[in-house]
Amino acid sequence: MNAEIINIGDEILIGQINNTNSQWIAKQLNNIGVEVKHIAVISDDAQDIKNTLQQAQANIIVVTGGLGPTLDDLTKQTITEFFNDKLVFHPEIEQHIKKMFARMNYPYTLNNKGQSYLPSKAKILWNEHGTAPGMWIENHNRIFIFMPGVPFEMKAIFSNEVLPKLKSKFNLPVLYKKTVTVFGIGESLLADRINNWEKNLPENIKLAYLPHPGRIRLRLSSKGKNKENLKQEIENQIVKLKNVIPDLTVSEEVEDLVYAVHNKLTETKQTIAFAESCTGGRLVSDLAQIAGASAFLMGGIVAYNTSVKINVLKVDNNIIDKYSVVSEEVAKQMAINVRKIMKSDIGVAITGNAGPTKGDSDAEVGTCIIAISYSDDVKVFKFNFGQPREKVINRAVSKVFELIFNIIKI
C-alpha cells in the first residue's frame, strides 16, 4: 500500500506556520507499513484542490486543512463537486457541536451548522476535540481521507478513527527499522567506505543516509510478515557494518554523543573539566543541559581571549609566542592546567580559529586543536573544519564529544 499526503493552507505556503502535519502523518503511515510516495502543499483554492486530487495516484490520499466554518475553508464544497456528490445534513454532528459550544459557553451560529453537512458518500470520522468532522470517501478502489488542519484535532482523528480502519481493511505488512549513528566522518567518505556492504544488503532491506554535523545516521528498514525475522536480519547487517568500519564509533543507542558521554561519566564516576576558546562555553553548556551533570562536571573556563589563557589557565606566554595561540602546544597546556585547577579526572581543551578572520593566530581559518588530559597521558588532535564559522563550531563540538567518548569507553 502507498499513500499521498496533501496539506491545504495558504498559511503553510507563506511560511506562517510549519508543516508538522505531513511529518507526523507520514511517520504514522510508515509505522503500519504504508509507504508515502508524495507530499504536497497547496493553496486554499478550489481549482488547485481539484487538480491535486485529480493527479493523485496513490491507494490512500490523506488531506488536511480547509474544513473550518469560515469562507476561506473550501475543501468540503470542493470535494463534493469533485466526487459529483451532494451535501447531506447530519443531526448527530450538529448535536455534538452544540454540546461542545454549550460546555464552553460559546454562541452557536449558522456557520457552525454548515459543518454538519457532509458529502453523501463520506463516512464520518469523529472529531472529539473540534467542530469539523473528518471524512472517509472510497472511490475507484482508492481511499480519500479528509481531516481538519488543526494538529491536535487531526492527530486524534487519525489515531482513533483512521488507523483502526486502515488496519482492519488491509492486510498490511510488518515494518521493522533501526537507526545506527556513525560519528566522526562525512557522508561521502562514509558512503565510499561502506560501498561494498551497502551493495550486498538483501533486497528487502533499504538503507537511508541521514547526515548531521559530526555524525551520520544510517536507517535500515525492511518489510515482511515476521517481525522477529526482520529484526534478526537487520541486526546481522549492523554487525557486518561495524566490522567494515572498526575505527569509527557506531552507536545503536544514542544519536548524540553528548548523552553517551554523560552516561559514561556517570557510570564510571569520573569527573571532567573544560578549557574552551573557539567553542565559547558550548561544551560545558551541552553537558549541563542534561539532568545529573553535577555528578561529574566540575566546570569550565572560557579562555576566549589570549590574556585569559595566560592569566587564568597559566599557559606559558613563551609557548604562545613561539607556537601561536592556536597550536598543539598551547592546547596541551590548557588541558593539563584546567585539570589541575578544577581537580578533575579529565581535562579537555580546545583552541581554534573559527573565522572569519584569523585573530591572534596565524593558523588557517577553520583550524581547531583539541587536547585531552587523562590519566598519565595527554592526547592532542588537529583538525580543519572549513567554513563558515557556525559549521566550524558545530563540528568542533561534535568532534570533542566523540574523542572524549572514545577515550573514556576504553
Side-chain angles (χ1 to χ4, degrees):
M1 300 300 296
N2 54 60
E4 296 183 35
I5 301 171
I6 302 168
N7 300 115
I8 301 172
D10 292 336
E11 66 276 9
I12 304 174
L13 289 171
I14 65 174
Q16 189 173 13
I17 65 170
N18 293 326
N19 184 17
T20 59
N21 281 353
S22 284
Q23 181 183 20
W24 188 87
I25 294 169
K27 186 174 182 179
Q28 306 312 307
L29 290 171
N30 190 256
N31 285 341
I32 63 170
V34 176
E35 185 175 2
V36 176
K37 290 290 190 179
H38 182 68
I39 296 176
V41 179
I42 61 175
S43 65
D44 292 294
D45 178 83
Q47 195 58 51
D48 282 351
I49 296 171
K50 290 179 182 178
N51 290 342
T52 306
L53 292 175
Q54 184 67 44
Q55 294 165 9
Q57 300 295 318
N59 308 115
I60 303 166
I61 296 93
V62 182
V63 184
T64 68
L67 295 178
T70 55
L71 292 177
D72 64 334
D73 291 308
L74 304 171
T75 301
K76 186 164 57 180
Q77 183 62 46
T78 302
I79 64 174
T80 303
E81 296 172 6
F82 178 79
F83 290 112
N84 295 315
D85 202 358
K86 62 180 180 179
L87 291 171
V88 296
F89 179 68
H90 290 267
E92 67 272 34
I93 296 176
E94 182 183 44
Q95 192 66 22
H96 164 72
I97 297 173
K98 285 183 175 180
K99 284 183 179 180
M100 178 178 290
F101 278 26
R103 189 168 59 247
M104 298 184 293
N105 199 27
Y106 283 179
Y108 181 75
T109 69
L110 288 177
N111 280 340
N112 300 121
K113 184 171 183 176
Q115 293 182 294
S116 301
Y117 287 83
L118 301 182
S120 67
K121 298 175 183 177
K123 295 179 182 177
I124 300 172
L125 299 174
W126 281 101
N127 182 359
E128 296 296 333
H129 303 293
T131 60
M135 293 171 283
W136 174 292
I137 300 176
E138 297 186 22
N139 185 267
H140 297 302
N141 297 319
R142 293 192 295 166
I143 296 172
F144 292 81
I145 298 163
F146 299 90
M147 296 179 292
V150 180
F152 74 90
E153 294 182 23
M154 179 277 296
K155 289 178 181 180
I157 294 172
F158 199 87
S159 300
N160 300 330
E161 298 274 337
V162 176
L163 284 177
K165 289 181 184 294
L166 290 175
K167 289 177 181 178
S168 65
K169 188 173 182 63
F170 301 108
N171 183 22
L172 297 170
V174 175
L175 176 68
Y176 183 79
K177 57 186 175 181
K178 185 165 184 177
T179 301
V180 297
T181 308
V182 183
F183 297 90
I185 191 170
E187 182 180 13
S188 59
L189 183 56
L190 177 62
D192 183 66
R193 289 192 57 182
I194 66 174
N195 182 55
N196 288 334
W197 170 80
E198 183 176 353
K199 285 182 178 178
N200 289 301
L201 285 172
E203 289 186 4
N204 64 309
I205 295 181
K206 291 185 177 181
L207 176 70
Y209 289 78
L210 308 169
H212 188 277
R215 61 187 185 270
I216 307 293
R217 289 183 296 162
L218 299 176
R219 187 184 66 235
L220 293 91
S221 57
S222 183
K223 292 179 183 179
K225 295 182 178 181
N226 188 293
K227 183 175 181 179
E228 287 305 314
N229 290 345
L230 298 176
K231 179 179 179 181
Q232 189 59 55
E233 197 170 24
I234 286 180
E235 293 294 340
N236 291 341
Q237 293 303 321
I238 292 174
V239 171
K240 292 180 181 180
L241 170 67
K242 291 180 178 179
N243 291 333
V244 172
I245 48 175
D247 57 312
L248 297 176
T249 300
V250 181
S251 174
E252 299 179 46
E253 299 175 0
V254 295
E255 295 181 3
D256 193 331
L257 277 177
V258 177
Y259 288 89
V261 168
H262 187 289
N263 295 340
K264 196 65 177 177
L265 289 171
T266 302
E267 176 189 330
T268 60
K269 294 182 171 54
Q270 296 173 95
T271 56
I272 194 167
F274 293 87
E276 301 185 55
S277 182
C278 59
T279 50
R282 275 277 304 275
L283 300 170
V284 171
S285 176
D286 284 0
L287 276 176
Q289 287 184 41
I290 308 172
S294 59
F296 60 80
L297 180 58
M298 302 301 289
I301 296 171
V302 180
Y304 207 74
N305 189 275
T306 301
S307 64
V308 179
K309 295 179 178 69
I310 296 170
N311 297 325
V312 179
L313 282 172
K314 307 302 180 185
V315 176
D316 190 333
N317 194 26
N318 294 325
I319 295 293
I320 293 176
D321 290 340
K322 183 176 181 179
Y323 296 103
S324 102
V325 72
V326 180
S327 63
E328 296 181 26
E329 291 77 11
V330 168
K332 184 176 181 178
Q333 282 203 0
M334 289 171 64
I336 292 171
N337 292 351
V338 77
R339 185 180 170 192
K340 290 178 181 177
I341 293 169
M342 299 285 182
K343 295 181 174 57
S344 61
D345 298 312
I346 304 167
V348 181
I350 181 167
T351 180
N353 192 345
T357 59
K358 290 187 175 183
D360 293 341
S361 173
D362 291 331
E364 290 297 320
V365 171
T367 300
C368 289
I369 314 292
I370 301 166
I372 301 178
S373 173
Y374 179 72
S375 188
D376 296 326
D377 193 16
V378 182
K379 295 184 181 296
V380 185
F381 310 86
K382 183 176 181 179
F383 305 95
N384 191 299
F385 296 126
Q387 278 289 279
R389 177 183 178 84
E390 182 181 0
K391 175 184 175 183
V392 174
I393 295 173
N394 287 336
R395 291 188 66 185
V397 169
S398 296
K399 180 57 70 173
V400 168
F401 285 117
E402 177 194 344
L403 294 171
I404 296 170
F405 180 76
N406 286 332
I407 285 175
I408 62 178
K409 76 175 183 179
I410 299 173

